[in-house]
Amino acid sequence: MAEWTPALVEARLAEAAFVLKRLPEPRRQGYFSTWPAVLHSFGDKVGQEPVPMRVLPSPQAISRMEETLTWTACLEPMDGKIVWMRAHGERWKTICWTVGMQRSAAHQHWLFGLCVISLTLNRRRFNRNLSKQRVIALAGGA
């Protein structure tokens, strides 16, 4: 990868959130059922909803997801929460209610978080005392 941009960071975070949704549920060790599998007749299946198919992610996608999970460690907790909620596809209205910000402020925190991650991945040094607008301009996220 030559250069990380905020758009590439956003795409990778969205992919990681999608992979997390597709992973199988964790199971408790040691618990099992001794009951035989129930065989349903056609009449039993008429009113039932079909069981959704789960397509497991590839090992490469899981590796990329594991790498992506550590990216928000360099962010403030509020910025990390906004970035992950947006990656999971939450609507801005829900994000604003959760974090207690207006939409414009939440969007600026989200864009700032993406820019900080891209600058960190590119190993570019920047002053942490810069304003959010300056960091966004420095990373090219505007």
Side-chain angles (χ1 to χ4, degrees), residues 14-25 53-66 69:
E15 179 196 15
F18 183 66
V19 169
L20 279 173
K21 287 180 188 176
R22 290 183 3 204
L23 288 176
E25 295 293 324
M53 269 184 47
R54 291 191 77 125
V55 179
L56 297 177
S58 67
Q60 295 84 9
I62 293 174
S63 297
R64 286 191 303 271
M65 182 259 319
E66 289 174 342
L69 289 177

Side-chain angles (χ1 to χ4, degrees), residues 69-137:
L69 289 177
T70 62
W71 287 358
T72 57
C74 63
L75 299 177
E76 294 291 323
M78 185 67 67
D79 296 339
K81 185 172 192 168
I82 293 171
V83 166
W84 272 115
M85 287 181 75
R86 193 65 189 147
H88 280 280
E90 291 289 334
R91 295 177 49 217
W92 280 112
K93 191 172 197 174
T94 308
I95 294 171
C96 293
W97 284 344
T98 304
V99 298
M101 291 183 188
Q102 292 182 355
R103 189 197 183 289
S104 59
H107 184 270
Q108 186 179 25
H109 280 267
W110 171 71
L111 192 55
F112 173 74
L114 293 178
C115 290
V116 168
I117 291 170
S118 69
L119 288 171
T120 304
L121 291 174
N122 291 331
R123 292 186 171 88
R124 289 180 57 190
R125 294 180 156 262
F126 65 97
N127 189 352
R128 291 286 181 167
N129 295 329
L130 290 176
S131 67
K132 288 184 178 21
Q133 288 86 7
R134 294 283 301 245
V135 172
I136 291 169

